[in-house]
Amino acid sequence: MGNAPTCREAILAIKPYIPGKPIEEVQRELGIKDVIKLASNENPLGPSPDAVQALRDASEKVYLYPDGNCYYLKESLAEKLKVSPENLIIGNGTDEILKLLAETYLDSGDEIVMADPSFSEYEFAAKVMGGRAIKVPCRNFRHDLSAMAAAVTTKTKLVFICNPNNPTGTIVGKAALEGFLKEVPPHVLVVMDEAYAEYVTAEHYPDSLEFVRNGMNNVIVLRTFSKIYGLAGLRVGYGVAASQIVNDVNRVREPFNVNLMAQAAAIAALKDEAHVGKSLEMNNEGKKYLYNQFEALNLKYVPTEANFIFVNIEKDSREVFKELMKKGVIVRTGDIFGYKDFIRVTIGTQRQNEQFIWALKEVLNEV
Ligand SMILES: *Cc1c(COP(=O)(O)O)cnc(C)c1O
């Protein structure tokens, strides 16, 4: 045997993503039936029943290639968001769009600017292209927009604003964002990642689509069907931007990147506003319940505008994670975000929230 093929140098800087075990495997190993996953910010109510019916109907058509232009999904989205279909790009999850943006805009040695802690996919996408992530520490768990603007150089191609921010749940407000956009030079594309937009209740949350509607051509807004729409398993997300940006990103997109089932379900999910309303209401109730419980336990948490809470448990989160798992509750440890004593927990159904709090109380007494 000769030497194995060598991979690109840039790839060596990437730590492979380590996926958690399937929930079924955790249940089998621990011998418990009722394991709840509050680790990935999925909708605990599941998908809209209309989306499920659309999937049944679409299943007969899977011998056909999907519509490579997502014609009907774009029509539905355009109408709802009050933009033109030419302003839309659909991806195999928002994750794919993040990668497409990196492929479209980053040469080796280029920079992206992002907050820290924030969503790790931005750095991953940059590194795949040999780019460098400039991570600007959050202040009080919020994006420090003036420091982020100051971090922009001639090499900066993309700036990521995760709004609400994952894992902190905080938002960037309208006035601050408008100020920031004035400071950022026009050669920089500002990526507004709004995966949790539908959960936000704060009045000062910006309507960033308005920038696109007004013809601003260095902003792209990303949303997803994985969170409040409950379709994470199907992989569908979208970007809204000036048509020139959409056209450029389309050059690197695979022709059939969004599968047929996903397109059908997304259209149906978008129409079922009652399901979205119910999901939002449950999230708001769950948020209140968890805040009260954390306060009773004397635990500090970051007030959230999303469907997860970043909580300071004042113990090693990996230990707490292991013990919570034994009690059938899976959360996200904070160490991956640089906060070893924090956990990020998805707001679940009332029953799930109660099971989580019960388990947390037990574990904090033990660890
Ligand atoms: C979940 C999430 C996404 C969406 O991912 P998909 O690929 O659409 O499932 C994007 N950004 C953030 C910050 C997220 O938390």
Side-chain angles (χ1 to χ4, degrees):
M1 295 285 161
N3 287 334
T6 40
C7 69
R8 289 194 295 126
E9 185 82 28
I11 302 298
L12 297 172
I14 301 172
K15 280 196 219 100
Y17 178 76
I18 303 168
K21 277 183 204 163
I23 196 163
E24 291 79 7
E25 190 56 21
V26 174
Q27 293 184 162
R28 199 186 58 77
E29 280 176 16
L30 299 171
I32 32 185
K33 273 203 218 104
D34 201 14
V35 173
I36 56 171
K37 186 168 161 240
L38 301 174
S40 302
N41 308 334
E42 293 135 334
N43 184 341
L45 283 183
S48 150
D50 297 347
V52 175
Q53 186 56 47
L55 286 171
R56 283 200 196 93
D57 297 342
S59 66
E60 314 248 333
K61 300 188 190 137
V62 292
Y63 67 99
L64 296 168
Y65 277 97
D67 170 13
N69 185 35
C70 299
Y71 182 88
Y72 292 109
L73 177 53
K74 281 187 186 171
E75 288 277 302
S76 304
L77 280 169
E79 192 187 323
K80 186 174 176 79
L81 306 174
K82 301 188 174 60
V83 296
S84 152
E86 285 120 62
N87 296 127
L88 292 166
I89 181 153
I90 320 290
N92 184 38
T94 305
D95 282 355
E96 188 199 18
I97 302 182
L98 293 171
K99 212 163 167 192
L100 295 178
L101 288 171
E103 288 171 349
T104 306
Y105 294 101
L106 299 184
D107 280 316
S108 185
D110 282 344
E111 294 172 358
I112 67 148
V113 172
M114 62 181 283
D116 184 19
S118 192
F119 194 48
S120 60
E121 283 296 312
Y122 313 143
E123 182 174 18
F124 164 72
K127 281 184 168 171
V128 169
M129 298 309 296
R132 214 157 70 91
I134 308 300
K135 297 202 214 167
V136 178
C138 284
R139 273 172 73 150
N140 200 15
F141 302 101
R142 287 165 200 281
H143 282 60
D144 182 348
L145 289 185
S146 31
M148 287 179 76
V152 170
T153 69
T154 52
K155 283 189 183 163
T156 309
K157 298 291 167 65
L158 302 168
V159 174
F160 292 89
I161 299 183
C162 191
N163 202 28
N165 189 35
N166 180 358
T168 61
T170 55
I171 60 164
V172 163
K174 187 174 186 320
L177 179 64
E178 282 171 357
F180 175 79
L181 291 175
K182 285 201 186 97
E183 274 188 73
V184 170
H187 75 272
V188 173
L189 178 62
V190 178
V191 184
M192 301 297 305
D193 183 348
E194 300 186 348
Y196 303 95
E198 298 86 356
Y199 286 106
V200 175
T201 56
E203 295 277 329
H204 64 295
Y205 186 62
D207 175 9
S208 57
L209 293 174
E210 196 60 18
F211 300 121
V212 178
R213 291 183 203 113
N214 291 338
M216 200 166 169
N217 61 6
N218 70 330
V219 175
I220 183 166
V221 181
L222 306 181
R223 303 258 177 96
T224 182
F225 284 93
S226 297
K227 304 291 157 57
I228 207 164
Y229 289 104
L231 302 178
L234 286 171
R235 316 302 304 125
V236 52
Y238 59 94
V240 193
S243 59
Q244 194 202 327
I245 292 172
V246 168
N247 294 342
D248 288 341
V249 179
N250 257 325
R251 292 171 205 273
V252 296
R253 184 178 67 80
E254 296 286 341
F256 302 114
N257 63 325
V258 183
N259 74 74
L260 183 145
M261 302 283 278
Q263 292 186 38
I267 293 165
L270 207 56
K271 284 205 195 105
D272 191 352
E273 286 176 9
H275 186 72
V276 172
K278 211 163 98 183
S279 307
L280 177 60
E281 198 178 316
M282 197 185 67
N283 194 64
N284 289 336
E285 293 295 315
K287 197 192 291 190
K288 257 188 265 164
Y289 169 79
L290 290 173
Y291 284 178
N292 282 332
Q293 296 295 316
F294 292 146
E295 280 156 28
L297 289 166
N298 259 320
L299 297 177
K300 292 207 184 71
Y301 57 87
V302 185
T304 186
E305 289 292 333
N307 67 338
F308 54 82
I309 309 179
F310 205 41
V311 200
N312 187 350
I313 48 167
E314 293 175 7
K315 301 241 161 109
D316 185 336
S317 64
R318 295 184 44 163
E319 289 301 311
V320 171
F321 168 84
K322 269 189 239 154
E323 296 306 314
L324 280 176
M325 176 114 97
K326 287 184 198 159
K327 295 182 169 22
V329 181
I330 308 175
V331 297
R332 190 69 88 203
T333 58
D335 60 328
I336 49 171
F337 302 108
Y339 286 78
K340 121 179 149 12
D341 292 351
F342 281 64
I343 57 170
R344 190 196 69 196
V345 61
T346 304
I347 300 168
T349 61
Q350 183 58 24
R351 228 191 97 243
Q352 291 174 332
N353 295 336
E354 284 169 14
Q355 187 180 337
F356 160 66
I357 290 294
W358 164 81
L360 186 66
K361 279 184 188 160
E362 299 262 309
V363 167
L364 291 179
N365 282 330
E366 289 163 17
V367 173

